[in-house]
Amino acid sequence: MKVSPIVTMKKHCLPGAAAALVQGLSLASTICLLSLPALAQDAYTPGHSSTGSSATAAGNRTSAGSNLPNSNSAAGPSVTPSGSAPLVRPVTAPSASSGSSSGSGLNNSSAPLLRPPLPTLDGGQPQDSVVDNGNLTGPANVPTNPAANPTNSSTGLPSGALSLPLDASGLTAKERQGDYDVVNTQADEFRKRFLQGEAIELRLPMGDQLMSLGSKLPPIRLEASYTQPISLREVVQYSLDNTLDIRIQREVVTQNKWILGNSLGKFLPDALMSYNSQYQAGTNLIGGTIPVTFGNPFVTATAGFRYFGFRGGSVMFGSLANMHNYRAAKQGLRASINDTLLNVTRLYYNLVQNQALLQIQTRAVDVSKAQVLLNQQLERAGTGTRFQVLQSETQLARDEQALLTQEVDLRRTAIDLATALNLNSAVNLLSVESEVRKVRLVDPSIDVNQLINLAILNRPELRQFEQLRMAAKRNIQVQAAPLYPQFQFFGGYNGNGQTLTNQYGNSTPSISVVPIQGAGFTAQTITSTAGGNAVVSAPQTVYPVAAVYNPSQITDRSLRKSYQIGMRVDWNFLGMGTQDLANIQAARAVARQATLRVNQQVIAVLQQVRTSYLTSLTAEKQIEVATKEVLSSAEELRLSRVRLANGVGTNIDVINAQRDFTQALVRKAQAIVAFNIQQAQLLRDIGVISYDTITSGRLAR
């Protein structure tokens, strides 16, 4: 289907715009807009900058348009006939170095340049164009044979267009080439600053570049109370002192230390002391015939010792087993520190990566907004379609969705890092890095065999499991100890009495009955009964007695002392020894398990070292490949927009180029972060990760 010929157009190119066109940051302030003469003062002319602020180029276009020769056709689109004077006189292009000194790529020292339209391919009348699926394609009579009309690599246009004669606007091929030289020169400067090398600029977007999640959730900080910048050095230092995993493992080491002290204390003799105080009262028969009445305190005190000379080796081998457990706990602490350092380093680099991705997503939104504005201008100019506008608006919606997701992902990584550091999760941690750059921690000249040797010598897990194996082996002899005789020495010093102190007391006076020496006599006793009758007993022999007064006497209430010393040998077999034999076999099985775990850990270490080595090499190569992808996708985006602005490209090409460029930046940022994490992973796998090796900048060898 044929459409009306392409009208003569004028092109607004902002000096310094091409660099931003390549980087895709603020293409609205950078693209060369096509519009009809009547649209020179149009309010929809893009003025977007990389910081989200609107440019004020509309006023410049208005004033420039008022001084244009033959500019009396300001009311609507008009076709400029062939051979007529140009609408705008060509202006000398600025130097290449004048556009990339500022962040937005705009040259504030000069007003935007106004360029005449590109010539038609035949140098005369405008060419017919073909509408294909709603996209305005190039001129219908352009040769399609690449050999006959090859494409210029710097402009993306047929090279034959550069050799065309002076067109109706008065723009020569040399002047037209100068336009593209500015674009390409500034693109090269952008590559030197941002695209080449092994780093990506890291800069937080401005607030107006982000999307709010709610009226009470400001961008970046979201629900956090405040924002705290933090560096990798601070993260590593803080984790060593405050991470819960390390603090818990330190307490495990302390526990095993005191258990070892307990077992060593068994080499010393036991001190035995006892004290018993009680009050005794009542009567007792001495010899079963003499009654005794008493009521006094009674104290028993003992002080002695007991020393086990031999207990079947349980003391010796139990102490050795506890010593190995203590050493294993210390190696476990080292392993916990290594794992924690790797974890916080990974979380920190994830934070850096998400900051970079947030910046990339904001750039993608800026690119999409600029593309929407461009397609709206092309539609208003009559050279674009509504379908192109809808395509660009759909891409903008996708990029805004990705931006919202990335804002939350950045906050989530800050929460994860704060949780790992045992910090209040209400603080929003952000990296202070100015760029995402490759950080090498391991000397690249070391081969995998040397790395394995370093791992065998330094991995704390290998030493930990070896100590546990030796502890399990010693426990076999501990379980066999009850089958051996037990030999001990003992001694003591005893005392019993009424009190511990040397106190004396007075006895109670009493009267005792004693017989009187002399012959006895016979006598009878008369007793009366209840009925008043008298009963006379049989004659009995009566002996005379006398009462004797017993005066108070001084008594000794102190302890009566004694001592004992001796030796004892016990040799017992509980359950005829079957219980102890079963314990021995169980301990041997545990020892075999410990040995197998050592072998398993050695295999795991070898696997980890080799995997980390290969992954690190791959990640480093990915940076190089990703950098090439960024360069090519940036050029793809530049050429697609140039082709669209000149009517020989399609909108879908621009959208695909935008997507490719955004994904290329994402993959490069991910590749750099993946390499940094893999370097830390390799340090951990060879057992030399520490505060110094991570932060000092010296390569591990």
Side-chain angles (χ1 to χ4, degrees), residues 352-363:
V352 172
Q353 173 179 301
N354 279 280
Q355 283 186 228
L357 296 183
L358 179 63
Q359 180 183 0
I360 292 171
Q361 291 299 338
T362 57
R363 292 175 176 176

Side-chain angles (χ1 to χ4, degrees), residues 417-448:
L417 180 58
T419 302
L421 293 176
N422 194 23
L423 277 172
N424 183 4
S425 58
V427 57
N428 184 38
L429 300 177
L430 291 177
S431 173
V432 298
E433 304 291 341
S434 60
E435 61 181 4
V436 185
R437 59 186 179 86
K438 186 175 85 171
V439 179
R440 185 181 297 279
L441 302 176
V442 181
D443 191 346
S445 62
I446 300 180
D447 60 16
V448 66

Side-chain angles (χ1 to χ4, degrees), residues 634-698:
E635 182 68 7
E636 175 191 1
L637 177 60
R638 185 185 71 84
L639 293 179
S640 65
R641 297 192 70 88
V642 170
R643 290 169 61 85
L644 178 63
N646 288 277
V648 295
T650 62
N651 189 58
I652 193 64
D653 293 336
V654 178
I655 292 177
N656 291 334
Q658 290 176 225
R659 193 175 305 158
D660 293 343
F661 181 65
T662 300
Q663 292 301 319
L665 288 176
V666 169
R667 279 189 282 269
K668 181 175 181 180
Q670 291 174 342
I672 295 175
V673 171
F675 175 79
N676 294 344
I677 293 176
Q678 284 304 318
Q679 285 287 289
Q681 179 76 49
L682 187 56
L683 282 180
R684 179 260 179 192
D685 290 341
I686 63 177
V688 297
I689 187 172
S690 65
Y691 173 81
D692 292 332
T693 55
I694 292 178
T695 62
S696 65
R698 295 188 298 270

Side-chain angles (χ1 to χ4, degrees), residues 398-635:
R398 291 175 180 172
D399 291 334
E400 288 179 341
Q401 293 174 16
L403 177 59
L404 285 172
T405 303
Q406 190 57 47
E407 289 182 24
V408 177
D409 288 344
L410 176 59
R411 176 66 186 126
R412 285 175 179 172
T413 55
I415 294 175
D416 294 341
L417 180 58
T419 302
L421 293 176
N422 194 23
L423 277 172
N424 183 4
S425 58
V427 57
N428 184 38
L429 300 177
L430 291 177
S431 173
V432 298
E433 304 291 341
S434 60
E435 61 181 4
V436 185
R437 59 186 179 86
K438 186 175 85 171
V439 179
R440 185 181 297 279
L441 302 176
V442 181
D443 191 346
S445 62
I446 300 180
D447 60 16
V448 66
N449 294 323
Q450 293 173 307
L451 293 175
I452 290 176
N453 291 335
L454 289 174
I456 296 298
L457 295 175
N458 296 283
R459 277 295 291 270
E461 289 86 355
L462 296 181
R463 299 182 181 182
Q464 177 185 10
F465 280 89
E466 176 63 19
Q467 293 295 330
L468 292 176
R469 182 191 69 83
M470 297 179 67
K473 185 177 180 180
R474 297 302 185 188
N475 191 53
I476 298 175
Q477 296 160 311
V478 173
Q479 297 300 324
L483 297 178
Y484 293 90
Q486 316 288 317
F487 176 77
Q488 62 175 309
F489 294 100
F490 64 89
Y493 193 72
N494 306 323
N496 56 73
Q498 295 182 356
T499 180
L500 287 176
T501 60
N502 294 325
Q503 294 182 357
Y504 294 89
N506 295 322
S507 62
T508 304
S510 62
I511 296 175
S512 60
V513 179
V514 297
I516 300 175
Q517 295 293 333
F521 58 91
T522 302
Q524 291 178 320
T525 59
I526 300 174
T527 59
S528 60
T529 62
N533 298 325
V535 178
V536 179
S537 66
Q540 296 178 348
T541 301
V542 179
Y543 295 95
V545 296
V548 178
Y549 175 75
N550 297 320
S552 176
Q553 297 179 355
I554 299 175
T555 59
D556 185 5
R557 305 177 70 241
S558 62
L559 298 180
R560 272 64 174 179
K561 303 174 181 62
S562 65
Y563 68 90
Q564 59 182 354
I565 189 171
M567 57 174 290
R568 180 177 177 177
V569 177
D570 296 319
W571 199 349
N572 304 318
F573 298 95
L574 301 179
M576 298 302 295
T578 56
Q579 301 177 13
D580 298 323
L581 289 175
N583 291 336
I584 292 173
Q585 296 302 321
R588 286 177 176 172
V590 172
R592 287 193 294 270
Q593 294 176 28
T595 302
L596 294 176
R597 288 194 181 95
V598 171
N599 297 334
Q600 186 182 41
Q601 190 64 29
V602 171
I603 295 174
V605 168
L606 296 179
Q607 177 193 19
Q608 292 170 1
V609 172
R610 292 184 179 275
T611 302
S612 298
Y613 178 73
L614 294 176
T615 308
S616 179
L617 293 179
T618 304
E620 185 174 15
K621 193 65 177 179
Q622 290 281 8
I623 298 176
E624 178 182 347
V625 176
T627 301
K628 294 179 180 178
E629 182 184 9
V630 171
L631 293 173
S632 61
S633 62
E635 182 68 7

Side-chain angles (χ1 to χ4, degrees), residues 165-211:
L166 183 67
D167 65 352
S169 64
L171 184 65
T172 64
K174 181 178 180 181
E175 292 170 334
R176 189 168 61 253
Q177 181 63 42
D179 247 351
Y180 296 113
D181 288 342
V182 174
V183 175
N184 296 328
T185 302
Q186 293 177 341
D188 290 338
E189 292 181 359
F190 172 75
R191 292 188 183 96
K192 294 177 182 178
R193 293 177 57 192
F194 302 106
L195 299 182
Q196 291 182 351
E198 299 169 334
I200 292 180
E201 182 186 15
L202 185 62
R203 182 185 305 169
L204 281 177
M206 303 298 292
D208 54 1
Q209 291 180 280
L210 301 174
M211 302 183 64

